[in-house]
Amino acid sequence: MRKTLKLFAGLSATNWRIEFVIHSALFISFVALFIVSGCRRAEDRFVLALEARPETLDPLRSTDAASERLRQLMFNTLVRKNERFEYVGELAETIEPSSDALAYTFKLRDGVRFHDGRPLTATDAKYTLDALLASDSRKAAPFFEGAGSNRQPRISSIEAPDARTLVVRLSKPWPELLANLVPIGIIPQGSAEQQRAQPLGSGPFRFERYDESQQVVDLAANENYWEGAPKIKSLRVRVILDANTLQAELRAGRISMAINTSLSPDAYRALAQDPNLQVVQSPGANIQYLGFNAQADLVKEARVRQAIAYAINREEIVRNLLLGQARVAHSILPESSWAYAPGTIYMFDPARAKRLLDEAGLRDPDGDGPRLRNEDRPISLKISSSNAVARAVAGVMQNELKLVGLRLEIETLEDNVLRDAQRNGQYQMTIGRWVGGNQDPIFLRDLFATNGAFNRSRYSNPELDRILQEATSTADRERARALYVEAQQIISRDVPMLPLWYPDNMIVARRNVGNIKIDPSGDWSFVRNVTVQ
């Protein structure tokens, strides 16, 4: 201390000022350098738009589309679907069913590690499945049959005889085991409780932080990823609920890429003209649908649902409103599915719609007069307030139903509120989209069987239950196909859900973004291979 004081005491006033200026200049330069480097880091971050708030980051509980997108970035599963919607291994190098179909042996890939460096082993896979089956997660529901006191697990035991071998034993043959393993992200042993706040997986990107107030999830490249490190090193997934805001952020360069958002067809066409942006369009396999509550007033009558199906001109909507960015659907299943069958095809036929309404007791009260058939009992259509396409489609449907004498009222709800209403049966009609699940015919049982895991239509048909039970139980693929064809004929006849169209995959990205190759399912796993010039 004395030496320091003596040194300063020896400085003249002039020298002191020089020293002060030099140190000030160095400090300012350091601050400027820090700010510039921070800006560069922000600019280097690749920002993906997400159009809905994720319900959870926990891969064992994620069932909404937004949460599943994040799961695809951070986690791997034992099984995945290939481009033809066949089940192949992801973490599983091989999958061997036993001759009696009561056991499946998964041989895991060697060299896979979790984001914290721990090796991923069969013990972790066993722990994941045990944790799922012990939970109240909706993802666990298909792994049980029956309800209430009759609820029984389909899996009798899970074994990990060595680090790379997992054996799943079944109480009786269950062909849809592989289908139900597709969305189950494998987590490290002992980590189930932390996944909601600190997700930890083995996927191409690792979790950094989730700012719930700003609705952003920050991820970083998993440099040790077993399929090769992602080209994008810093990834932000940002929730943007409003379509106009999304357009503005894309044009301003603050969003790098938006995948299958609810932008209007006009918006996609306009953004394609922006010299700094590109729009990549390819056929999709997900399904946009019009859902009915089969226990609600008016629409509980099948002939009313059929009439509504005939009253809606889907071909014209796809051509003029969607600007060709979709294909009209005649089944929940995609046309490329091995079990696809169109069943009853509802072409635009307002005259037939009117006859069906008459037969259902909803007669026109005044012929060509202004009174509607259900003037005092309007049908409610609940849709997402953030989905511009759904709002536009709903307006067209409202006008088309009015032409056959039906009064339709449109109610817009926030996404979370809408999902709750759909699950709880608090609606008459709704517009929604199924992402991924519809690519397997087993999903027909989940959607339409009595007490099906996702039967939001409240539809029940004992004949269909019997057909779907056999279809999902048989190991004979040709027999299963014949049963699924029969099932689709019944479903299309009763119309608990009207398939509208298969939306094309629509991606908006900055011009310098390359290698955009999304498969028909719309899965986000392709983001790992996206490049930035």
Side-chain angles (χ1 to χ4, degrees):
M1 177 65 76
R2 287 197 194 97
K3 290 180 180 179
T4 305
L5 290 173
K6 186 180 288 185
L7 177 62
F8 280 138
L11 289 174
S12 66
T14 302
N15 288 338
W16 175 266
R17 284 194 295 273
I18 292 171
E19 290 287 327
F20 178 78
V21 169
I22 290 172
H23 283 87
S24 298
L26 287 172
F27 176 75
I28 291 168
S29 299
F30 173 78
V31 172
L33 181 63
F34 177 81
I35 292 171
V36 169
S37 64
C39 289
R40 282 177 183 157
R41 284 196 294 273
E43 288 170 359
D44 289 343
R45 180 183 286 131
F46 193 95
V47 183
L48 265 176
L50 188 63
E51 67 173 347
R53 294 185 180 92
E55 289 186 352
T56 181
L57 301 181
D58 185 344
L60 301 188
R61 292 186 172 275
S62 57
T63 56
D64 61 294
S67 300
E68 282 292 276
R69 295 310 187 206
L70 291 168
R71 192 263 304 162
Q72 291 161 4
L73 296 174
M74 294 187 286
F75 295 88
N76 291 125
T77 59
L78 289 171
V79 183
R80 66 176 178 84
K81 286 180 286 190
N82 65 15
E83 296 79 4
R84 297 181 297 277
F85 311 123
E86 299 165 330
Y87 296 108
V88 297
E90 184 173 62
L91 288 173
E93 199 166 56
T94 62
I95 304 170
E96 293 291 339
S98 63
S99 58
D100 61 3
L102 289 176
Y104 283 77
T105 300
F106 302 86
K107 186 66 71 173
L108 304 190
R109 297 182 188 278
D110 197 17
V112 179
R113 291 184 176 273
F114 289 109
H115 297 149
D116 62 358
R118 280 184 278 176
L120 188 154
T121 69
T123 301
D124 300 300
K126 171 178 163 52
Y127 168 80
T128 300
L129 297 180
D130 284 338
L132 174 70
L133 298 179
S135 75
D136 60 355
S137 168
R138 288 192 296 274
K139 278 188 174 179
F143 291 86
F144 296 83
E145 60 179 342
S149 59
N150 295 322
R151 187 171 184 258
Q152 297 294 324
R154 299 180 187 274
I155 293 177
S156 60
S157 69
I158 304 168
E159 303 162 10
D162 61 58
R164 291 187 57 203
T165 306
L166 179 76
V167 181
V168 177
R169 301 192 185 279
L170 305 173
S171 55
K172 61 184 180 182
W174 185 39
E176 62 243 64
L177 171 66
L178 298 183
N180 284 287
L181 290 176
V182 169
I184 310 303
I186 300 302
I187 62 176
Q189 185 174 19
S191 70
E193 293 302 317
Q194 79 171 63
Q195 291 294 335
R196 190 171 300 181
Q198 289 288 326
L200 177 61
S202 61
F205 295 93
R206 58 180 174 81
F207 176 79
E208 287 196 322
R209 73 181 189 108
Y210 177 29
D211 187 332
E212 221 168 334
S213 62
Q214 297 297 316
Q215 286 296 301
V216 295
V217 180
D218 286 335
L219 309 174
N222 177 5
E223 296 296 344
N224 299 313
Y225 187 55
W226 57 277
E227 287 188 295
K231 306 300 187 292
I232 296 168
K233 302 306 176 185
S234 179
L235 177 64
R236 168 168 286 184
V237 180
R238 179 181 160 199
V239 176
I240 301 180
L241 302 178
D242 180 70
N244 291 328
T245 302
L246 176 57
Q247 286 186 69
E249 294 296 276
L250 282 164
R251 290 188 184 278
R254 288 186 285 269
I255 295 293
S256 308
M257 187 162 68
I259 307 167
N260 291 333
T261 61
S262 56
L263 288 172
S264 71
D266 285 327
Y268 281 118
R269 180 171 287 184
L271 291 170
Q273 305 304 313
D274 190 309
N276 298 312
L277 298 173
Q278 57 178 317
V279 175
V280 180
Q281 179 176 352
S282 62
N286 297 317
I287 189 73
Q288 193 88 36
Y289 66 88
L290 179 66
F292 298 97
N293 182 345
Q295 296 180 4
D297 184 36
L298 296 181
V299 293
K300 64 185 177 183
E301 165 64 62
R303 285 173 295 188
V304 173
R305 301 194 296 267
Q306 292 167 356
I308 290 171
Y310 280 117
I312 297 171
N313 193 338
R314 291 176 294 161
E315 288 78 7
E316 188 174 272
I317 291 174
V318 167
R319 183 173 57 253
N320 297 332
L321 184 61
L322 303 183
L323 303 179
Q325 295 169 16
R327 292 168 295 126
V328 172
H330 301 298
S331 173
I332 297 297
L333 304 182
E335 294 172 344
S336 52
S337 168
W338 60 271
Y340 172 83
T344 301
I345 295 178
Y346 291 91
M347 302 302 291
F348 180 56
D349 191 341
R352 189 167 185 177
K354 290 178 181 179
R355 289 197 301 272
L356 284 165
L357 291 172
D358 287 340
E359 293 171 11
L362 282 174
R363 298 188 175 278
D364 191 334
D366 58 354
D368 293 331
R371 284 184 56 79
L372 299 176
R373 299 168 186 264
N374 61 329
E375 186 71 37
D376 301 323
R377 298 162 62 196
I379 296 172
S380 170
L381 173 63
K382 292 185 176 181
I383 62 171
S384 167
S385 58
S386 63
N387 192 318
V389 175
R391 292 199 305 270
V393 168
V396 173
M397 289 181 178
Q398 186 179 49
N399 292 331
E400 290 179 334
L401 293 186
K402 187 175 181 180
L403 292 176
V404 299
L406 287 179
R407 180 182 171 192
L408 182 71
E409 290 187 347
I410 300 168
E411 184 178 354
T412 58
L413 303 172
E414 290 187 2
D415 288 338
N416 291 337
V417 177
L418 177 62
R419 279 194 293 265
D420 287 342
Q422 291 169 339
R423 289 171 185 151
N424 298 326
Q426 297 169 339
Y427 74 98
Q428 286 176 287
M429 289 171 54
T430 187
I431 293 175
R433 179 188 293 196
W434 279 112
V435 176
N438 69 300
Q439 294 149 21
D440 190 308
I442 290 170
F443 197 54
L444 295 174
R445 184 206 59 197
D446 295 336
L447 282 181
F448 303 115
T450 304
N451 299 319
F454 300 108
N455 187 347
R456 298 173 183 174
S457 299
R458 302 295 198 271
Y459 171 72
S460 180
N461 183 322
E463 181 189 7
L464 181 66
D465 291 346
R466 178 189 58 77
I467 292 169
L468 290 175
Q469 177 61 36
E470 184 181 350
T472 56
S473 301
T474 182
D476 183 338
R477 187 156 170 143
E478 286 306 309
R479 175 60 180 158
R481 187 184 185 284
L483 290 165
Y484 282 128
V485 168
E486 190 177 354
Q488 288 169 90
Q489 290 170 343
I490 294 171
I491 293 165
S492 63
R493 180 197 69 202
D494 291 351
V495 213
M497 180 183 290
L498 175 67
L500 294 174
W501 43 76
Y502 307 109
D504 282 348
N505 287 316
M506 302 294 295
I507 299 176
V508 185
R510 305 292 299 168
R511 280 281 180 189
N512 64 339
V513 178
N515 205 28
I516 300 173
K517 296 178 180 178
I518 189 170
D519 68 34
S521 71
D523 192 297
W524 276 26
S525 56
F526 81 99
V527 173
R528 177 178 70 88
N529 296 314
V530 165
T531 60
V532 181
Q533 295 180 352

